[in-house]
Amino acid sequence: MRTFIGHQQAVTTDEFVELALGTPVELWLGVEGETEEERAARLDAARDILTDNPGLADDVARIAAEVIDTHPELFDIVPLPRPARRRAMRKAVAA
């Protein structure tokens, strides 16, 4: 199945989010290893975008709520049992 936003095809999840929001995800979340200068520039650009589009935060919240409502299985979390020997090792170290 192909997904299009406007006239552009979204191949990956990141492309879909970027096309839907009009901005790259990295602008809002940052990237690993960015310098303080890069972070400051990124946040400054994000502020400018929010100034130009004050409804963007509400749009993102609405999209997130729709995804959660449509696909609750994305949040099915199954706790994994911890190995018994790991707990025994912690007790031995604490003693």
Side-chain angles (χ1 to χ4, degrees), residues 29-72:
L29 302 180
V31 293
E32 190 173 329
E34 71 182 355
T35 65
E36 285 299 317
E37 186 175 282
E38 292 168 332
R39 181 177 187 274
R42 177 178 58 76
L43 293 176
D44 192 41
R47 277 188 216 90
D48 288 346
I49 289 170
L50 288 173
T51 298
D52 292 343
N53 186 358
L56 182 61
D58 292 336
D59 291 344
V60 171
R62 181 183 45 74
I63 291 168
E66 288 174 3
V67 168
I68 291 168
D69 187 45
T70 305
H71 301 286

Side-chain angles (χ1 to χ4, degrees), residues 1-12 15-16 19:
M1 179 194 292
R2 295 182 183 188
T3 303
F4 287 86
I5 305 293
H7 297 290
Q8 295 187 349
Q9 181 179 0
V11 178
T12 66
E15 286 179 354
F16 178 81
L19 289 170

